[in-house]
Amino acid sequence: IAHGSMQLLDKYGLWQQVKAYAEPIGKIHISDRGHIGKSYLTAGQFNIAALGYVLEVRHLGAVLNQALKEKANIKWYCPNTITEVETGQNDVAITLQDDTQLCGKLLLIADGGQSATRSLVNINQRIDDYNQCAVIANVACQKPHQGIAFERFTEFGPMALLPLTEQRYSLVWCVRPEQVEEMMALDDEAFIERLQNAFGYRAGVLVKAGKRVSYPLMLNLTDDLVGHRFALIGNASHTIHPIAGQGFNLGMRDIDGMVEVIAEHRGDIGSFAMLNQYKHSRVDDLNQVVTMTDSLVRLFSNDSKLMALGRTLGLLSLQTIDCLKQPIAFQSMGLNAKRAQEVK
């Protein structure tokens, strides 16, 4: 959860419940394996308590579900799926798997990267395969992590260790697809040994790994964010590389942008004017995040000596020149120009 997303959760009255499960990131250590380039970001540099926070999704889900259950004006149709979407001039109708039919002014499609509803409204995706897979696990460390997050770039892809509660890290290890089967088949002891050798000892001694999962990494973007009486939100609209941890936070800003335009168009929710305003309010942010994450993946997954030299100079410059560090930090923290100015 980036600093900006923490502010949004606080705005919605949810942060205090979420905070109980969250581990603050006080410092981020960035390095390029096999090269001398390194850089650091600290919360103190920006006069904030934390650059971001890390928590297990089950805790966040529990807080959000409880908050929804307390809202009397929300009706649940769950478990269920949408089987048909039909848009009219002034409304949109959906049919559920159990043949229930519902009608409203606006349909928000927020069913994730594998959205089935997206295909029902004929929104196409543009897919760019990174030829990488992410291996995900929680990892216990021998000594307290002191709130330090690590982003380490390797020739196969980035590795991230993000501080969790109970003296643990959340691991995101990007590897080539042909490496995944072997890595998933390793026993816990062998996996930890492989991880320690690949990452080194900057994060100390790693002692135990939890359950591992893996998934392929792709850049998925839709042809449009909106259509007649519907809009796509979060991963249903955009699925990006996990580098720099931007995906969830981008979705949070989608939600906030939709909340704001609905408040301005209460008389005609779902109108062309409202949806067009939402689209234009989100395009720049989306493009900036996609450009940043896509560029980082391609730059740091290249073993060219010339590219390696450029990376080294870039990281050293980032460490020594504050005016270069600030815009990258603010983008990573999910802060727009106004909020970034407030932090300054």
Side-chain angles (χ1 to χ4, degrees):
I1 296 178
H3 180 79
S5 294
M6 178 274 291
Q7 292 179 319
L8 292 178
L9 289 170
D10 193 43
K11 170 183 171 181
Y12 302 146
L14 296 168
W15 176 241
Q16 288 308 310
Q17 299 96 299
V18 173
K19 185 179 179 181
Y21 305 103
E23 184 69 23
I25 299 173
K27 180 179 181 179
I28 300 175
H29 181 287
I30 308 165
S31 62
D32 189 8
R33 191 170 76 173
H35 305 282
I36 63 172
K38 298 177 182 65
S39 188
Y40 308 88
L41 297 173
T42 66
Q45 290 172 314
F46 305 98
N47 300 312
I48 54 177
L51 294 164
Y53 299 82
V54 187
L55 75 157
E56 291 158 292
V57 70
R58 61 189 175 92
H59 296 309
L60 178 63
V63 170
L64 296 178
N65 280 326
Q66 182 57 41
L68 287 170
K69 288 176 182 178
E70 294 171 0
K71 302 294 183 182
N73 60 340
I74 293 177
K75 187 169 183 179
W76 291 81
Y77 296 85
C78 180
N80 224 314
T81 56
I82 298 174
T83 59
E84 186 177 352
V85 178
E86 185 175 353
T87 56
Q89 183 174 350
N90 298 310
D91 54 26
V92 54
I94 62 173
T95 302
L96 304 184
Q97 189 177 29
D98 62 2
D99 293 329
T100 298
Q101 293 185 319
L102 304 170
C103 187
K105 294 291 186 183
L106 172 64
L107 173 65
L108 297 182
I109 299 172
D111 49 350
Q114 302 300 317
S115 171
T117 314
R118 180 181 58 218
S119 60
L120 294 177
V121 295
N122 298 316
I123 293 291
N124 295 319
Q125 274 189 309
R126 290 165 281 132
I127 301 175
D128 192 351
D129 191 340
Y130 284 119
N131 195 34
Q132 294 179 2
C133 290
V135 176
I136 312 294
N138 291 340
V139 180
C141 47
Q142 192 176 75
K143 295 181 179 180
H145 49 55
Q146 299 179 320
I148 302 174
F150 295 87
E151 186 88 49
R152 185 151 171 77
F153 297 102
T154 78
E155 63 272 29
F156 304 116
M159 305 174 69
L161 284 174
L162 308 174
L164 273 174
T165 56
E166 302 174 6
Q167 206 165 301
R168 296 172 300 157
Y169 284 107
S170 174
L171 168 70
V172 182
W173 188 354
C174 301
V175 298
R176 298 296 186 205
E178 60 269 21
Q179 298 173 287
V180 172
E181 184 175 352
E182 179 199 358
M183 290 182 62
M184 296 298 289
L186 293 172
D187 62 34
D188 288 350
E189 184 176 349
F191 179 76
I192 283 290
E193 182 179 0
R194 179 79 63 90
L195 173 60
Q196 193 83 72
N197 289 337
F199 193 85
Y201 288 85
R202 284 183 174 82
V205 177
L206 306 174
V207 295
K208 185 179 179 181
K211 179 183 177 181
R212 278 165 267 158
V213 296
S214 69
Y215 62 91
L217 298 176
M218 301 178 185
L219 173 62
N220 296 342
L221 299 174
T222 55
D223 288 344
D224 209 337
L225 304 182
V226 301
H228 184 61
R229 293 286 168 185
F230 68 84
L232 289 87
I233 297 285
N235 280 9
S237 167
H238 42 70
T239 305
I240 62 176
H241 196 283
I243 193 170
Q246 293 295 299
F248 171 82
N249 300 289
L250 191 60
M252 281 288 297
R253 298 196 294 276
D254 286 350
I255 294 168
D256 193 56
M258 180 58 70
V259 168
E260 289 185 354
V261 296
I262 286 176
E264 289 184 33
H265 295 265
R266 289 191 181 277
D268 192 8
I269 293 175
S271 67
F272 173 81
M274 192 209 92
L275 291 173
N276 195 50
Q277 182 178 337
Y278 169 76
K279 174 181 175 178
H280 287 289
S281 73
R282 297 300 305 135
V283 166
D284 286 347
D285 185 20
L286 174 60
N287 288 341
Q288 287 173 9
V289 171
V290 168
T291 298
M292 179 184 76
T293 55
D294 188 64
S295 299
L296 285 173
V297 173
R298 299 185 190 284
L299 174 63
F300 282 94
S301 300
N302 192 309
D303 58 5
S304 159
K305 292 183 178 179
L306 184 61
M307 294 288 275
L309 175 61
R311 296 197 302 263
T312 297
L313 293 174
L315 286 173
L316 292 174
S317 299
L318 186 64
Q319 179 59 22
T320 56
I321 304 173
D322 285 343
C323 65
L324 294 179
K325 188 176 295 186
Q326 283 188 346
I328 294 174
F330 289 144
Q331 180 69 59
S332 298
M333 288 190 285
L335 298 172
N336 60 26
K338 181 180 178 182
R339 287 179 180 151
Q341 192 62 40
E342 290 170 357
V343 170
K344 289 181 184 179

